[in-house]
Amino acid sequence: MKIGIIGTGYVGLPTGVGFAELGHDVICIDNNAAKIETLRSGKATIFEDGLDEMFLNNVRNGRLKFTTSMREGVQEADVVIIAVGTPPHPITKEADMRYIHEAAEELAQYLQGYTVVATKSTVPVGTGDDIEKIIRNRRPQADFDVVSLPEFLREGFALHDFFSPDRIVIGADNEKAGAVLRDLYKPFEGKTQILYVRRRSSETIKYASNAFLAMKIHYINEMADFCEKAGADIYEVAKGMGLDRRIGDRFLNPGPGYGGSCFPKDTNAMAYMARQYGVYLSLIETVIKGNDARKARMANRILETVKNIPDAKIAIWGLAFKNGTDDCRESPAMQIVSELLAHGAKLRVYDFKAMSNAAKILGAKVEYATSMTDAVEGADVLAILTEWPEFGKADLTEIKELMNTPNIVDLRNLLSPQEARNLGFCYQCIGQ
Ligand code: NAD
């Protein structure tokens, strides 16, 4: 099949690479010319495990191409996948549909023959109808259908999740479009649940799933707060809970609060959308407020440890919103860093992959370290904010020698509390 993918970001690029690997002819379109130039030069523009090699193989065998030209990517495509961003509106927090609408306007001009337009971006319910209207207005005679094809990949596991998804959801209101997507996803038949639903149900499934996962994280974080006061251990509690298959053992890791490019924006968009329908989603509204407040409380924990140290220096390990990615969007680490800066703190930061993305946001407000050890030199507290496993393997004896004052606030519970305390650190973690 010929596939055009509009938007070559954290979703579009792995999706393009994945479909090319399955043997399709893929053209990835992006209006960011610098991005396309980098991709054409054979360099991936995001960090994802296993991406570089598969990307290069498919570029070399000619199945994966990149362009800034909508015409080139759309005119011969059997399926056009929309994977542009739907960021939160700065005030209302509803999904900003500008990029979706622009993409629909543009792609409409170049449709030729029957084409399925599939929306992979996370979009409010009813967006399929809007895209259909936009295209129909521009090209009344065009032969097309619009389907919802929500994406569930996890950054850091994008290719794994492309090839082995828990499920594929296809929201097609018409059999002809459904048949094209059935063909596209043939290699997954028998291995993965493929669910065919109404387009509006499909759009809802994505938000309902992300909001549920965000709620699960917030729930275990609140249980961690409880355990700290009650003398229980959150890991023992999570294990005991997770053995119940109705609860399940995943997403029961306590931390500084959920973040990333999806959960915060999707919970807010879902709550906004529901309010527009006159439905008050009390759980989601509460989770959003609780999760925002949690980041400020976590920053306070760090500040408390150094409140009596004049001119204290804070070392930060981790800026990405989770390990395995360079993505800093809505990262809890970045929000905690901002909170610390707002209190006038002096920070020296380090991350394995997210330094350049973080620098775009933080500029000269922090010092940038070149390694984990470089970050802690002369520090009065070390705050661990992203769960890169390497942080958990640090040589604590060396870290203690380098630090000015041996304080650690481990918001990812990566270190052994016993080892840290035996070495003389004042060590705090979550839920224990
Ligand atoms: P991103 O910002 O990384 O990528 C979007 C890309 O679209 C950018 O490169 C941008 O230049 C391009 N773009 C915007 N308008 C365009 C246009 N008119 N023509 C061509 N290119 C255009 O975003 P992302 O993280 O890949 O997310 C894309 C969508 O997928 C969002 O709706 C998001 O909610 C959803 N999603 C993301 C994830 C994730 O883990 N990142 C997971 C599931 C779903």
Side-chain angles (χ1 to χ4, degrees):
M1 252 184 217
K2 292 195 186 322
I3 303 174
I5 301 185
I6 306 174
T8 312
Y10 286 89
V11 167
L13 184 58
T15 303
V17 170
F19 279 126
E21 183 73 12
L22 290 176
H24 299 289
D25 287 325
V26 178
I27 302 187
C28 292
I29 310 147
D30 208 291
N31 56 9
N32 179 332
K35 209 177 248 193
I36 292 299
E37 204 176 307
T38 308
L39 291 161
R40 277 185 169 160
S41 75
K43 278 194 223 114
T45 39
I46 57 169
F47 172 75
E48 265 295 338
D49 194 27
L51 184 71
D52 288 357
E53 200 187 338
M54 201 180 280
F55 160 81
L56 261 186
N57 282 345
N58 284 287
V59 170
R60 284 189 183 133
N61 67 28
R63 283 203 295 261
L64 182 61
K65 298 197 174 87
F66 298 95
T67 183
T68 51
S69 154
M70 192 65 88
R71 176 197 295 274
E72 203 183 317
V74 167
Q75 63 187 0
E76 296 199 353
D78 303 297
V79 178
V80 172
I81 294 176
I82 301 179
V84 300
T86 45
H89 184 280
I91 296 159
T92 62
K93 304 281 174 83
E94 70 194 281
D96 183 345
M97 299 303 287
R98 186 178 353 164
Y99 305 107
I100 296 277
H101 293 162
E102 280 170 12
E105 288 277 356
E106 269 188 84
L107 78 88
Q109 302 169 54
Y110 305 113
L111 292 175
Q112 270 179 30
Y114 179 67
T115 314
V116 172
V117 177
T119 311
K120 248 193 189 308
S121 301
T122 302
V123 292
V125 178
T127 298
D129 305 12
D130 297 341
I131 295 176
E132 211 167 278
K133 274 189 216 130
I134 291 171
I135 300 176
R136 186 63 66 213
N137 276 343
R138 275 235 154 207
R139 292 278 309 282
Q141 307 307 325
D143 188 11
F144 72 98
D145 280 304
V146 177
V147 305
S148 159
L149 187 62
E151 179 55 65
F152 301 100
L153 68 76
R154 298 161 300 162
E155 285 182 27
F157 299 90
L159 284 178
H160 170 276
D161 290 351
F162 178 88
F163 290 104
S164 310
D166 283 348
R167 81 294 210 192
I168 292 160
V169 175
I170 295 171
D173 284 345
N174 113 9
E175 188 39 45
K176 192 176 175 192
V180 171
L181 286 198
R182 188 167 289 126
D183 224 27
L184 181 64
Y185 282 101
K186 217 170 199 77
F188 296 86
E189 273 174 16
K191 295 188 219 153
T192 300
Q193 284 276 352
I194 305 181
L195 186 67
Y196 291 87
V197 294
R198 290 176 181 83
R199 194 163 66 193
R200 282 179 176 246
S201 304
S202 172
E203 290 166 340
T204 306
I205 286 170
K206 174 63 193 177
Y207 279 115
S209 303
N210 269 4
F212 186 86
L213 291 172
M215 212 164 64
K216 201 169 176 189
I217 296 172
H218 189 61
Y219 184 85
I220 203 66
N221 284 340
E222 289 200 330
M223 286 303 126
D225 291 346
F226 176 83
C227 288
E228 285 172 16
K229 299 288 178 203
D233 180 317
I234 189 62
Y235 288 102
E236 292 174 357
V237 172
K239 184 155 192 198
M241 286 169 60
L243 288 171
D244 183 332
R245 274 178 288 174
R246 292 170 305 175
I247 297 173
D249 60 1
R250 294 171 70 185
F251 263 62
L252 291 179
N253 285 321
Y258 63 78
S261 68
C262 290
F263 289 162
K265 105 175 155 60
D266 293 348
T267 43
N268 273 303
M270 175 88 225
Y272 177 89
M273 199 168 35
R275 276 183 245 125
Q276 300 306 105
Y277 283 114
V279 180
Y280 185 70
L281 298 176
S282 63
L283 283 175
I284 297 176
E285 300 275 4
T286 304
V287 165
I288 292 167
K289 284 196 197 93
N291 188 63
D292 286 346
R294 183 169 185 80
K295 321 266 177 59
R297 283 210 311 280
M298 295 295 123
N300 269 339
R301 277 194 193 192
I302 300 166
L303 291 170
E304 273 293 302
T305 59
V306 291
K307 67 176 181 204
N308 295 325
I309 304 175
D311 228 14
K313 292 197 183 91
I314 300 176
I316 301 289
W317 279 1
L319 297 165
F321 86 91
K322 64 175 186 176
N323 66 318
T325 181
D326 58 355
D327 195 350
C328 288
R329 290 176 292 179
E330 300 270 338
S331 162
M334 295 293 284
Q335 287 163 344
I336 291 169
V337 162
S338 298
E339 194 74 28
L340 295 172
L341 287 172
H343 284 83
K346 286 201 177 127
L347 309 183
R348 193 165 167 78
V349 304
Y350 181 69
D351 189 283
F352 293 100
K353 298 286 176 193
M355 294 296 267
S356 66
N357 279 343
K360 286 179 206 153
I361 301 167
L362 297 172
K365 291 183 195 150
V366 301
E367 285 179 23
Y368 297 93
T370 53
S371 66
M372 290 159 60
T373 45
D374 183 36
V376 297
E377 229 176 308
D380 297 291
V381 59
L382 162 62
I384 306 179
L385 306 185
T386 307
E387 69 275 42
W388 288 102
E390 291 86 343
F391 293 147
K393 296 177 197 143
D395 178 345
L396 288 185
T397 310
E398 185 190 4
I399 299 298
K400 185 159 178 250
E401 273 166 22
L402 289 169
M403 287 181 76
N404 193 35
T405 322
N407 286 312
I408 297 179
V409 179
D410 181 0
L411 298 182
R412 295 291 186 171
N413 290 356
L414 290 177
L415 303 175
S416 149
Q418 205 176 350
E419 188 196 348
R421 286 178 188 137
N422 286 348
L423 283 170
F425 280 99
C426 173
Y427 175 82
Q428 290 180 52
C429 56
I430 298 213
Q432 289 168 307

